[in-house]
Coordinates of all heavy atoms in Angstrom, one line a residue:
T141 N 18.6 62.4 -43.0 CA 17.4 61.7 -42.4 C 17.7 61.6 -40.9 O 18.9 61.7 -40.4 CB 17.2 60.3 -42.9 OG1 18.3 59.5 -42.6 CG2 17.0 60.4 -44.5
A142 N 16.7 61.3 -40.1 CA 16.9 61.1 -38.6 C 17.9 59.9 -38.4 O 18.8 60.0 -37.6 CB 15.6 60.9 -37.9
N143 N 17.6 58.8 -39.2 CA 18.5 57.6 -39.1 C 19.9 58.0 -39.5 O 20.9 57.5 -38.8 CB 18.0 56.5 -39.9 CG 16.9 55.7 -39.2 OD1 16.9 55.6 -38.0 ND2 16.0 55.1 -40.0
G144 N 20.1 58.7 -40.6 CA 21.4 59.0 -41.1 C 22.2 59.9 -40.1 O 23.4 59.6 -39.8
I145 N 21.6 60.9 -39.6 CA 22.4 61.8 -38.7 C 22.5 61.2 -37.3 O 23.5 61.4 -36.6 CB 21.7 63.2 -38.6 CG1 22.8 64.3 -38.1 CG2 20.5 63.2 -37.8 CD1 22.4 65.7 -38.4
F146 N 21.6 60.3 -36.9 CA 21.7 59.6 -35.6 C 22.9 58.7 -35.7 O 23.7 58.6 -34.7 CB 20.4 58.9 -35.3 CG 20.5 58.1 -34.0 CD1 20.4 58.8 -32.8 CD2 20.6 56.7 -34.0 CE1 20.5 58.1 -31.6 CE2 20.7 56.0 -32.8 CZ 20.6 56.7 -31.6
A147 N 23.1 58.0 -36.8 CA 24.2 57.1 -37.0 C 25.5 57.9 -36.9 O 26.5 57.4 -36.3 CB 24.1 56.4 -38.3
R148 N 25.6 59.1 -37.5 CA 26.8 59.9 -37.4 C 27.1 60.3 -36.0 O 28.2 60.3 -35.5 CB 26.7 61.1 -38.3 CG 26.5 60.7 -39.8 CD 27.0 61.6 -40.8 NE 28.2 62.3 -40.4 CZ 29.1 62.8 -41.3 NH1 28.8 62.5 -42.6 NH2 30.1 63.5 -41.0
L149 N 26.0 60.7 -35.3 CA 26.1 61.1 -33.9 C 26.7 60.0 -33.0 O 27.6 60.2 -32.3 CB 24.8 61.6 -33.3 CG 24.7 61.9 -31.8 CD1 25.4 63.3 -31.6 CD2 23.3 62.0 -31.3
M150 N 26.1 58.8 -33.2 CA 26.5 57.7 -32.4 C 27.9 57.1 -32.8 O 28.4 56.2 -32.1 CB 25.4 56.6 -32.4 CG 24.1 57.1 -31.8 SD 24.3 57.8 -30.1 CE 24.3 56.3 -29.2
G151 N 28.4 57.6 -33.9 CA 29.7 57.1 -34.3 C 30.8 57.8 -33.5 O 32.0 57.4 -33.5
S152 N 30.5 58.7 -32.7 CA 31.4 59.4 -31.8 C 31.3 58.8 -30.4 O 30.3 58.9 -29.8 CB 31.1 60.9 -31.7 OG 31.7 61.5 -30.5
P153 N 32.4 58.1 -29.9 CA 32.3 57.5 -28.6 C 32.0 58.5 -27.5 O 31.2 58.2 -26.6 CB 33.7 57.0 -28.4 CG 34.3 56.7 -29.7 CD 33.7 57.9 -30.6
G154 N 32.5 59.8 -27.6 CA 32.2 60.8 -26.6 C 30.7 61.2 -26.6 O 30.1 61.3 -25.5
H155 N 30.1 61.3 -27.7 CA 28.7 61.7 -27.8 C 27.8 60.5 -27.4 O 26.8 60.7 -26.8 CB 28.4 62.1 -29.3 CG 28.9 63.5 -29.6 ND1 29.3 63.9 -30.8 CD2 29.1 64.6 -28.8 CE1 29.7 65.1 -30.8 NE2 29.6 65.6 -29.5
K156 N 28.3 59.3 -27.7 CA 27.5 58.1 -27.3 C 27.4 58.0 -25.8 O 26.4 57.7 -25.3 CB 28.2 56.9 -27.9 CG 27.4 55.6 -27.7 CD 28.2 54.4 -28.3 CE 28.3 54.4 -29.7 NZ 29.0 53.2 -30.3
R157 N 28.5 58.4 -25.1 CA 28.5 58.4 -23.6 C 27.5 59.4 -23.1 O 26.9 59.1 -22.1 CB 29.9 58.6 -23.1 CG 30.8 57.4 -23.1 CD 32.1 57.6 -22.3 NE 32.9 58.7 -22.8 CZ 33.8 58.6 -23.8 NH1 33.9 57.4 -24.4 NH2 34.5 59.6 -24.2
I158 N 27.5 60.6 -23.7 CA 26.6 61.6 -23.3 C 25.1 61.1 -23.4 O 24.3 61.3 -22.5 CB 26.8 62.9 -24.0 CG1 28.2 63.5 -23.6 CG2 25.7 63.9 -23.7 CD1 28.7 64.7 -24.4
V159 N 24.8 60.6 -24.6 CA 23.4 60.1 -24.9 C 23.0 59.1 -23.8 O 21.9 59.1 -23.4 CB 23.3 59.5 -26.3 CG1 22.0 58.8 -26.5 CG2 23.5 60.6 -27.4
R160 N 23.9 58.2 -23.4 CA 23.6 57.1 -22.5 C 23.9 57.4 -21.0 O 23.7 56.5 -20.2 CB 24.4 55.9 -22.9 CG 24.0 55.4 -24.3 CD 24.9 54.3 -24.8 NE 24.5 53.9 -26.1 CZ 25.2 53.1 -26.9 NH1 26.3 52.5 -26.5 NH2 24.7 52.7 -28.1
R161 N 24.2 58.6 -20.7 CA 24.5 59.0 -19.3 C 23.2 59.0 -18.5 O 22.3 59.8 -18.8 CB 25.2 60.3 -19.3 CG 25.8 60.6 -17.9 CD 26.9 61.7 -18.0 NE 28.1 61.1 -18.6 CZ 29.0 61.9 -19.2 NH1 28.8 63.2 -19.3 NH2 30.0 61.4 -19.8
A162 N 23.1 58.2 -17.5 CA 21.9 58.1 -16.7 C 21.6 59.4 -15.9 O 20.4 59.6 -15.6 CB 22.0 56.9 -15.7
R163 N 22.6 60.2 -15.6 CA 22.3 61.4 -14.8 C 21.5 62.4 -15.5 O 20.9 63.3 -14.9 CB 23.5 61.9 -14.2 CG 24.4 62.6 -15.2 CD 25.6 63.2 -14.5 NE 26.5 63.9 -15.4 CZ 27.6 64.5 -15.0 NH1 28.0 64.5 -13.8 NH2 28.4 65.1 -15.9
Y164 N 21.4 62.3 -16.8 CA 20.6 63.3 -17.6 C 19.1 62.8 -17.7 O 18.8 61.7 -18.2 CB 21.1 63.4 -19.0 CG 22.5 64.1 -19.1 CD1 23.5 63.5 -19.9 CD2 22.8 65.2 -18.4 CE1 24.8 64.1 -20.0 CE2 24.1 65.8 -18.4 CZ 25.0 65.2 -19.2 OH 26.3 65.8 -19.3
H165 N 18.2 63.6 -17.2 CA 16.8 63.3 -17.2 C 16.0 64.0 -18.2 O 14.9 63.6 -18.6 CB 16.2 63.6 -15.8 CG 16.9 62.9 -14.7 ND1 16.8 63.3 -13.4 CD2 17.7 61.8 -14.7 CE1 17.5 62.5 -12.6 NE2 18.1 61.5 -13.4
D166 N 16.5 65.2 -18.7 CA 15.8 66.0 -19.7 C 16.7 66.1 -21.0 O 17.9 66.0 -20.9 CB 15.6 67.4 -19.1 CG 15.0 67.5 -17.8 OD1 14.1 66.6 -17.5 OD2 15.3 68.3 -16.9

Side-chain angles (χ1 to χ4, degrees):
T141 65
N143 277 333
I145 202 163
F146 180 74
R148 297 210 36 155
L149 176 73
M150 298 306 278
S152 161
H155 287 150
K156 190 183 291 186
R157 278 192 300 277
I158 291 170
V159 169
R160 296 175 181 168
R161 193 162 287 154
R163 72 179 180 178
Y164 294 134
H165 301 159
D166 306 327

